[in-house]
């Protein structure tokens, strides 16, 4: 279950943030991610930010996969 | 028997709508012309050519939405149904069912918009009707339009004419109308610049017919979206249709709204798009003609017609898989899971 | 779209699929627990990229599907009270209870509204002080913190016309019940990514420890799911069983402590009835002591008849991964998404609906 989408935090006002995904913006409640900052990406679920996304971890995953794909292409 | 009631899903344009039409209306009202199940009925009155005739009711809420309103929709929807059988639309009727209490200013604005759309499409509103119902019996206003057009000599366009090898052409990005209305109606707090694509497509079709006599089928994917229209044509023609996910254009904001709400853009309504199934050798010329028209600038080939599996639509996914695409099932609801 | 598009790159998916196809070990059955994974697997056509010796099974991870008839019956009974507005997620509208569905109740005149966020229900209650507003909360650990936060907000606002009906459930106890029953062989678990953003990876550690089954917490994009499968195969090849996180950008081992605390502020853990799995101890969330003022069942009239189950429906076995949907005698004939008999057919992410929509005729 559980559709949650990555959205960028544009501004924060108290426990509400304005988040953006693909040009679409919406208010998201931030009480579940108290340390969120402007510029962070959060997972948006049912109108709430439920977690902040880790940019470095995403890049690591993608880097690892890209190297694997290259190595595979080299074998072929 | 709670099952024996009409549900909103019966009006979704998807499977429930088809079942209702087949089990209740067609079984009682069938005749050879109705049974063709194209967007307009085509028939001869005498030896001087064929007429296309169609009718449609408009119950959109809200009455005004980004990019259009119910007045523009009422003209475009009917004009497009005529255009999808290759007809030149000529005359429309417009019947208004007004709810007691509707502001006259709104009605005036909607009528002006209807007039503008009729002028753009080059059709005349030649008959009309007005009824008023008590407050609460209608949602502001409903409009019914019927349209009459002439099918040029030699034109034979029908959802049942697709042939294996045909190119599947789409006139532009999908889902804009459905998403703009949904975001406006549901008041879910999304701010977007998505506008309805509501537009008359008859001049676009005329330009396409100029470019090629081999346009086999046309359909405007309104309720039920691209997927439902493709399945309808695959079934009518007894062919398979394969589309390529990476080639189906979706504007970024529409894609984002679909991600958030758990919608599949293939099932979201359009009001200014068409699908054309065209002999492969003529496809480049048809695309060229489309790109010159304001409503075909982003026309592109999204797939091809195959012989097998008959009556099915397949989609080659971006990541190299294949899946079946079926008709819309019931209504789409915003999902959280 | 950042964090999405990158994980849909054909080249990466192809490289991972190629790697999976090189699996030379014995045939394996991997279970994707989460319904959102089931839908993603079908929508991206991932099954066709896998070799025959790598099988995917669908698990019980669709909160709509595991909601028993009795819960739906209660929601319908509450909604049928004059003066009640019932709000719930769109997912629940078409789910059949014993006698009807919320969509049918709405067609018969009940005021049932779809909310994108539980906070919308709080706002409806604020705007309609003369009405009783009930939020029918359903979902796993991903969703429960959002309804908990909304309840705490209603409490802070002192709302006396806001009520709650909970069908919230917890994933790890259901996995334990499923594994304990031992009816189906599972060689690896693809664990739900968004549930894990909240609970972290630790609650799954009993699975490798007690059942020697490797677990990978996966994201929902095609590249995520293929990578999770490759990671499970690697663990099988090395004879290892542990909990690994593929979805590192969103899941930390400790989860989201603030969300867990919010949940605990509104709910307490107790027994719950799961469709297909039966009653499971410590697997549901109920309003905690001090939150009774919000209990819809206590404060509003709720006339329900004894629940009944659809006779031929085999959703229970589908939810446990025992059978594939086409093995059910009514699949695709008596039970379709338009006229669903069982919840696995009605939920967008139900296993039966996914099979029906994407693989007609099985």
């Amino acid at each position: 279950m559980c559709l949650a989408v990555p959205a960028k935090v544009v501004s924060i006002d108290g426990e509400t943030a304005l988040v953006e995904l693909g040009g679409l913006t919406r208010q998201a409640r931030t009480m579940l991610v108290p340390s969120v900052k402007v510029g962070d990406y959060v997972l948006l679920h049912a109108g709430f930010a439920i977690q902040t996304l880790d940019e470095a971890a995403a890049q690591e995953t993608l880097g690892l996969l890209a190297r694997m794909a290259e190595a595979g292409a080299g074998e072929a | 028997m709670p099952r024996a009631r009409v549900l909103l899903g019966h009006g979704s344009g998807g499977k429930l709508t088809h079942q209702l039409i087949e089990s209740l209306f067609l079984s009682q009202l069938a005749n050879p012309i109705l049974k063709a199940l194209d967007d307009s009925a085509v028939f001869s009155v005498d030896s001087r050519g064929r007429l296309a005739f169609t009718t449609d009711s408009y119950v959109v809420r809200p009455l005004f939405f980004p990019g259009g309103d119910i007045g523009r929709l009422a003209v475009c929807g009917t004009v497009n149904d005529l255009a999808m059988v290759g007809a030149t639309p000529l005359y429309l009727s417009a019947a208004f069912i007004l709810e007691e209490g509707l502001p006259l200013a709104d009605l005036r604005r909607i009528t002006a918009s209807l007039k503008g759309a009729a002028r753009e499409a080059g059709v005349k509103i030649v008959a009309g009707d007005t009824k008023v119902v008590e407050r609460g019996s209608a949602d502001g206003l409903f409009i019914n339009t019927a349209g009459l057009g002439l099918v040029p000599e030699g034109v034979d366009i029908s959802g049942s004419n697709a042939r294996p090898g045909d190119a599947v052409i789409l006139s532009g990005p999908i889902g804009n109308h459905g998403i703009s209305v949904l975001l406006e109606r549901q008041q879910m707090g999304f701010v977007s610049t998505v506008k309805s694509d509501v537009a008359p497509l008859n001049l676009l079709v005329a330009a396409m017919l100029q470019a090629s006599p081999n346009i086999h089928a046309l359909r405007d994917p309104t309720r039920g979206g691209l997927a439902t229209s493709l399945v309808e044509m695959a079934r009518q023609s007894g062919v398979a249709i394969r589309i390529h996910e990476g080639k189906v254009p979706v504007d970024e904001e529409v894609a984002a709204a679909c991600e958030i709400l758990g919608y599949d853009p293939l099932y979201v309504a359009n009001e200014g798009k068409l699908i054309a199934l065209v002999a492969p050798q003529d496809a480049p010329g048809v695309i060229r003609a489309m790109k010159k028209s304001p409503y075909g600038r982003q026309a592109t080939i999204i797939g091809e017609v195959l012989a097998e599996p008959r009556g099915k639509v397949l989609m080659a996914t971006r990541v190299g898989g294949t899946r079946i695409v079926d008709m819309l099932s019931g209504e789409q609801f915003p999902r959280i899971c | 779209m950042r964090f999405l598009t990158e994980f849909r790159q054909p080249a990466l998916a192809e490289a991972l699929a190629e790697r999976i196809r090189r699996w030379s070990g014995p045939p394996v059955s991997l279970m994707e627990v989460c319904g959102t994974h089931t839908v993603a697997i079908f929508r991206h056509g991932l099954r066709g990229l896998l070799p025959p010796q790598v099988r995917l099974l669908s698990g019980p991870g669709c909160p709509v599907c595991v909601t028993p008839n009795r819960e739906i019956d209660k929601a319908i009974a509450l909604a049928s009270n004059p003066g009640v507005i019932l709000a719930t997620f769109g997912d629940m509208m078409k789910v059949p209870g014993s006698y009807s569905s919320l969509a049918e109740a709405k067609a018969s005149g009940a005021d049932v509204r779809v909310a994108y966020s539980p906070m919308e229900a709080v706002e409806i209650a604020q705007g309609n002080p003369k009405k009783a507003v009930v939020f029918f909360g359903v979902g796993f650990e991903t969703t429960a913190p959002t309804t908990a936060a909304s309840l705490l907000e209603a409490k802070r606002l002192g709302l006396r016309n806001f009520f709650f009906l909970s069908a919230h459930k917890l994933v790890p106890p259901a996995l334990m019940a499923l594994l304990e029953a031992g009816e189906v062989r599972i060689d690896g678990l693809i664990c739900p990514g968004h549930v894990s953003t909240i609970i972290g990876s630790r609650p799954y550690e009993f699975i490798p420890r007690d059942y020697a089954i490797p677990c990978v917490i996966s994201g929902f994009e095609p590249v995520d799911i293929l990578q999770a499968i490759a990671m499970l195969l690697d663990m099988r090849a090395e004879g290892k069983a542990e909990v690994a996180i593929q979805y590192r950008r969103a899941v930390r081992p400790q989860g989201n402590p603030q969300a867990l605390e919010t949940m605990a502020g509104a709910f307490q853990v107790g027994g719950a009835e799961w469709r297909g799995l039966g009653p499971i101890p410590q697997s549901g969330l109920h309003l905690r002591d001090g939150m009774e003022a919000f209990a819809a069942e206590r404060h509003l009239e709720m006339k329900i008849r004894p629940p009944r189950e659809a006779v031929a429906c085999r959703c229970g076995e589908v939810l446990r991964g025992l059978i594939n949907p086409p093995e059910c005698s009514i699949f695709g004939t008596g039970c379709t998404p338009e006229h669903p008999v069982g919840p696995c057919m009605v939920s967008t992410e139900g296993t039966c609906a996914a099979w029906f929509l994407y693989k007609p005729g099985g």
Side-chain angles (χ1 to χ4, degrees):
Chain A
M1 142 143 207
C2 318
L3 222 59
V5 295
K8 187 178 184 172
V9 176
V10 180
S11 63
I12 299 176
D13 177 12
E15 289 197 317
T16 304
L18 186 69
V19 299
E20 181 264 335
L21 170 70
L24 211 64
T25 56
R26 178 180 210 285
Q27 303 290 328
R29 307 272 171 164
T30 56
M31 46 275 256
L32 305 175
V33 286
S35 60
V36 72
K37 308 183 299 299
V38 169
D40 283 352
Y41 278 79
V42 293
L43 277 175
L44 178 69
H45 173 73
F48 284 77
I50 58 165
Q51 184 61 287
T52 51
L53 288 164
D54 181 340
E55 183 93 29
Q59 290 313 323
E60 256 172 64
T61 304
L62 288 165
L64 178 84
L65 291 173
R67 285 194 294 281
M68 188 197 80
E70 275 167 35
E75 282 170 34
Chain B
M1 266 295 283
R3 281 257 173 264
R5 285 180 189 269
V6 172
L7 298 173
L8 274 173
H10 283 112
S12 66
K15 280 192 195 175
L16 276 177
T17 308
H18 284 82
Q19 284 170 8
L20 185 73
I21 290 170
E22 279 159 30
S23 67
L24 202 144
F25 295 126
L26 269 183
S27 65
Q28 301 213 49
L29 308 173
N31 58 62
I33 298 175
L34 185 64
K35 270 168 107 167
L37 291 180
D38 278 316
D39 286 339
S40 292
V42 176
F43 49 90
S44 305
V45 187
D46 59 19
S47 58
R48 281 175 305 176
R50 291 162 303 148
L51 288 176
F53 178 50
T54 188
T55 184
D56 211 334
S57 299
Y58 301 87
V59 297
V60 66
R61 197 180 64 210
L63 300 175
F64 302 92
F65 44 84
D69 60 34
I70 192 170
R72 182 169 171 83
L73 197 60
V75 169
C76 296
T78 293
V79 161
N80 292 347
D81 280 347
L82 293 169
M84 294 307 120
V85 294
T88 306
L90 298 170
Y91 302 114
L92 262 55
S93 67
F96 293 81
I97 297 169
L98 309 172
E99 185 187 16
E100 175 189 26
L102 175 77
L104 278 175
D106 285 358
L107 186 58
R108 202 167 286 122
R109 204 175 131 196
I110 286 163
T111 309
S113 165
L114 192 127
K115 174 183 158 187
R119 183 179 298 157
E120 185 186 351
V123 296
K124 289 190 174 65
I125 313 283
V126 295
D129 178 52
T130 308
K131 294 281 188 294
V132 179
V133 294
E134 281 179 19
R135 185 182 274 276
S137 307
D139 215 344
L141 90 155
F142 301 145
I143 304 179
N144 170 278
T145 49
L148 204 60
L150 222 69
V151 184
E153 194 61 44
V155 169
D156 178 20
I157 292 174
S158 163
S160 53
N161 288 352
R163 293 171 211 167
D166 282 355
V168 181
I169 296 174
L170 177 66
S171 65
I174 55 169
N176 300 55
H177 175 77
I179 291 297
S180 76
V181 169
L182 177 83
L183 294 182
E184 189 74 14
R185 179 169 60 212
Q186 297 272 0
Q187 299 295 323
M188 282 179 285
F190 291 99
V191 179
S192 89
T193 61
V194 178
K195 285 193 174 63
S196 168
D197 58 352
V198 57
L201 299 174
N202 52 318
L203 300 178
L204 173 65
V205 172
M208 291 165 70
L209 284 169
Q210 285 266 300
S212 162
N214 294 315
I215 294 171
H216 297 149
L218 292 171
R219 182 89 15 136
D220 66 329
T222 53
R223 286 176 313 170
L226 176 68
T228 303
S229 290
L230 290 171
V231 175
E232 283 170 1
M233 291 194 287
R235 288 185 188 173
Q236 275 177 279
S237 298
V239 295
I241 295 176
R242 183 175 59 200
I243 58 172
H244 301 267
E245 186 179 25
K247 294 183 180 173
V248 177
V250 184
D251 288 344
E252 188 170 41
E253 273 187 71
V254 172
C258 288
E259 291 286 348
I260 293 169
L261 302 172
Y263 279 43
D264 185 338
L266 293 177
Y267 295 99
V268 180
N270 311 278
E271 290 292 348
K273 294 294 179 308
L274 63 79
I275 307 162
L277 307 182
V278 180
Q281 68 276 13
D282 287 20
V286 170
I287 296 256
R288 267 198 305 279
M290 290 173 82
K291 284 183 184 281
K292 288 182 190 144
S293 166
Y295 301 126
R297 286 220 173 88
Q298 299 183 67
T300 181
I301 295 179
I302 59 165
E304 53 282 326
V305 176
L306 308 171
E308 298 287 342
R310 291 167 64 116
K312 295 270 192 277
V313 175
L314 309 170
M315 181 156 85
T317 66
R318 234 182 236 103
V319 293
T322 298
R323 68 158 157 118
I324 296 269
V325 174
D326 202 348
M327 281 190 181
L328 173 66
S329 164
E331 275 179 283
Q332 287 206 93
F333 284 109
R335 297 194 286 130
I336 57 123
C337 64
Chain C
M1 287 178 272
R2 283 291 316 282
F3 289 104
L4 286 181
T5 320
E6 305 95 314
F7 294 90
R8 293 175 184 175
Q9 294 175 63
L12 300 186
E14 185 43 47
L16 283 161
E18 189 53 44
R19 197 171 151 177
I20 293 166
R21 285 195 289 266
R22 288 205 293 263
W23 172 248
S24 55
V28 289
S29 295
L30 310 178
M31 179 179 268
E32 88 270 355
V33 173
C34 173
T36 311
H37 277 140
T38 305
V39 172
I41 287 163
F42 276 107
R43 262 185 76 169
H44 299 295
L46 299 185
R47 276 170 184 250
L49 301 178
L50 305 179
Q53 64 273 26
V54 177
R55 271 188 57 219
L56 292 177
L57 294 172
S58 300
C62 158
V64 175
C65 306
V66 297
T67 302
N69 280 354
R70 211 181 123 76
E71 306 278 346
I72 314 275
D73 297 347
K74 284 182 190 173
I76 293 168
L78 290 168
S80 306
N81 283 328
V84 166
I85 300 171
L86 184 126
T88 189
F89 297 123
D91 316 61
M92 297 309 292
M93 289 300 285
K94 292 188 282 187
V95 188
S98 303
Y99 306 95
S100 127
S101 69
L102 284 167
E104 283 162 1
K106 182 170 183 267
S108 305
D111 193 344
V112 180
R113 303 185 190 182
V114 171
Y116 165 71
S117 169
M119 281 305 294
E120 286 170 31
V122 173
E123 286 155 16
I124 293 171
Q126 283 177 287
N128 293 273
K130 291 203 163 57
K131 299 261 185 176
V133 176
V134 178
F135 188 74
F136 179 31
V138 62
F140 294 140
E141 293 91 332
T142 316
T143 313
T146 72
T147 57
S150 305
L151 274 161
L152 296 173
E153 181 70 6
K155 189 173 184 175
R156 200 182 59 79
L157 293 165
L159 289 180
R160 302 179 64 107
N161 66 327
F162 181 74
F163 301 97
F164 190 72
L165 178 67
S166 174
H168 282 307
K169 293 187 169 52
L170 304 173
V171 168
L175 287 177
M176 189 180 281
L178 185 80
L179 296 170
E180 206 44 48
E183 294 169 295
V184 61
R185 208 191 94 196
I186 299 170
D187 301 305
L189 278 174
I190 300 170
C191 293
H194 289 144
V195 163
S196 308
T197 60
I198 306 298
I199 67 171
S201 58
R202 288 171 199 144
Y204 305 105
E205 279 170 0
F206 75 93
I207 299 172
R209 187 186 65 223
D210 302 346
Y211 303 95
I213 297 172
C215 295
V216 174
I217 295 167
S218 169
F220 296 91
E221 298 309 314
V223 167
D224 289 322
I225 296 168
L226 291 167
Q227 189 187 10
I229 293 169
M231 287 166 75
L232 283 169
L233 294 177
D234 287 347
M235 279 200 254
R236 290 238 61 110
E238 294 164 25
K240 275 202 312 208
E242 47 194 47
V243 180
I245 303 174
Q246 178 280 331
Y247 197 26
R248 288 185 43 230
R249 61 191 183 276
V251 178
R252 334 259 189 276
Q254 72 280 15
N256 178 342
Q258 179 69 32
L260 291 168
E261 197 181 311
T262 306
M263 255 160 80
F267 299 126
Q268 59 196 35
V269 175
E273 169 86 26
W274 291 60
R275 189 191 297 264
L277 298 170
I280 301 176
Q282 303 297 301
S283 71
L285 292 175
H286 310 280
L287 287 171
R288 65 167 301 156
D289 299 339
M291 298 293 279
E292 298 89 348
F294 296 107
E297 297 168 76
R298 273 191 202 205
H299 301 281
L300 299 169
E301 189 163 333
M302 201 171 66
K303 290 198 206 93
I304 50 173
R305 287 184 279 171
R308 60 173 192 190
E309 293 298 328
V311 180
C313 169
R314 294 177 71 186
C315 271
E317 292 158 89
V318 171
L319 288 166
R320 300 205 295 280
L322 291 179
I323 62 166
N324 278 327
E327 292 168 66
C328 172
S329 65
I330 54 174
F331 173 79
T333 50
C335 178
T336 62
E338 293 68 57
H339 296 292
V341 174
C344 298
M345 186 59 93
V346 73
S347 168
T348 320
E349 54 170 38
T351 307
C352 295
W355 275 76
F356 184 83
L357 289 174
Y358 299 122
K359 288 180 87 159

